[in-house]
């Protein structure tokens, strides 16, 4: 009877460990760049800066809620952690130092009154390679258009096949 009990306990331990969720992938999310070449006469710099901040906050929140990722903060020292401010190598080194396996960076470009496009690259800094690349367009330049673009990008990133996950 004791042998049977040991087998049952060992079997439940093995079954539990076999179905344990994999560790989330650590990801550092760099604030995206923003460029407006639409030529519109009204200065929208403050609106765009706010929308970009909201976009980045929502992207960090949404990816952080996904079981696939664990968002980590970057510290780039005196320089801002932005692609245009430091070299990609320094950015990737900062990500490694923060414990991130992945780095997400990109930008948004407003090309006309109605059309914006965004790019997002996901780099595996341990393997030193691009693992995912997204290019999306979105219509409009209001809070709702930006929110839809962020939700779409977060969903696409969560669905991206990444080795080791």
């Amino acid at each position: 009877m004791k042998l049977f009990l040991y087998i049952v306990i060992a079997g439940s331990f093995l079954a539990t460990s076999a179905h344990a969720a994999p560790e989330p992938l650590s990801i550092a999310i760099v604030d995206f760049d923003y460029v407006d070449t639409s030529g519109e006469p009204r200065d929208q710099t403050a609106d765009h800066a706010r929308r970009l901040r909201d976009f980045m906050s929502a992207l960090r929140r949404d990816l952080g809620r996904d079981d696939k990722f664990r968002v980590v903060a970057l510290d780039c020292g005196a320089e801002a952690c932005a692609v245009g401010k430091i070299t990609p190598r320094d950015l990737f080194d900062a990500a490694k130092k923060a414990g991130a396996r992945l780095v997400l960076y990109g930008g948004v470009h407003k090309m006309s009154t109605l059309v914006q496009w965004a790019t997002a690259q996901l780099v595996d800094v341990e393997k030193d390679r691009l693992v995912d690349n997204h290019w999306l367009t979105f219509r409009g330049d209001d809070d709702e258009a930006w929110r839809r673009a962020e939700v779409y990008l977060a969903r696409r990133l969560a669905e991206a096949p990444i080795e080791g996950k």
Side-chain angles (χ1 to χ4, degrees), residues 24-25 31 43 55 71 73 76 78 89 92-93 109 115 117 132 163:
L25 296 165
D31 285 338
D43 183 4
F55 179 93
V71 177
C76 296
R89 178 56 42 210
F92 298 158
D93 288 344
H109 178 184
V115 178
W117 56 268
D132 204 21
E163 290 178 24

Side-chain angles (χ1 to χ4, degrees), residues 18-117:
H19 295 294
E23 283 292 314
L25 296 165
S26 54
I27 183 172
I29 302 172
V30 179
D31 285 338
F32 285 15
D33 295 323
Y34 187 82
V35 175
D36 181 354
T37 60
S38 66
E40 292 180 310
R42 187 172 70 92
D43 183 4
Q44 300 176 65
T45 305
D47 290 337
H48 292 148
R50 178 187 53 79
R51 287 187 180 119
L52 185 59
R53 273 192 315 274
D54 292 348
F55 179 93
M56 297 310 304
S57 293
L59 191 57
R60 286 182 180 97
R61 180 197 65 228
D62 290 349
L63 291 180
R65 284 184 191 163
D66 192 289
D67 293 339
K68 184 175 186 173
F69 299 110
R70 178 179 55 84
V71 177
V72 299
L74 283 180
D75 180 6
C76 296
E79 287 294 331
C81 290
V83 174
K85 300 290 183 184
I86 63 175
T87 67
R89 178 56 42 210
D90 289 341
L91 185 63
F92 298 158
D93 288 344
K96 288 178 188 176
K97 186 176 178 184
R101 173 174 167 198
L102 303 170
V103 173
L104 176 68
Y105 65 94
V108 178
H109 178 184
K110 181 175 180 179
M111 58 187 289
S112 73
T113 305
L114 294 175
V115 178
Q116 298 189 80
W117 56 268

